[in-house]
Amino acid sequence: MKLNLGSGYRKLAGATNVDFTAALEPDIVHDLTVMPWPFEENSVDEFHFRYSLEEIGHSPEQLLNV
């Protein structure tokens, strides 16, 4: 599986787009600061995580978990 984490409006073709805002219509709605993430272990081959770290990690613990 290829993931695009924190996709927002920048959806990637051929990837599973993940965002916490349902209004942006991602493939999966999930807050990335909430663990565990909703993916099977060893199921991800590639991930993209652009322009998203500043949107998460509102505390040091959240950022370190990600």
Side-chain angles (χ1 to χ4, degrees):
M1 172 186 343
K2 179 163 78 170
L3 291 178
N4 182 23
L5 301 173
S7 59
Y9 292 108
R10 297 171 307 278
K11 293 190 177 120
L12 284 178
T16 300
N17 295 284
V18 181
D19 202 281
F20 73 98
T21 305
L24 297 176
E25 300 179 348
D27 300 307
I28 296 176
V29 176
H30 184 74
D31 180 348
L32 295 173
T33 64
V34 175
M35 300 293 176
W37 288 355
F39 314 112
E40 294 293 323
E41 190 171 324
N42 297 317
S43 66
V44 178
D45 299 310
E46 179 180 333
F47 70 91
H48 298 260
F49 196 44
R50 298 183 181 128
Y51 309 111
S52 297
L53 280 177
E54 68 274 11
E55 301 297 329
I56 62 173
H58 296 282
S59 72
E61 181 180 76
Q62 285 179 332
L63 185 59
L64 290 173
N65 280 336
V66 171

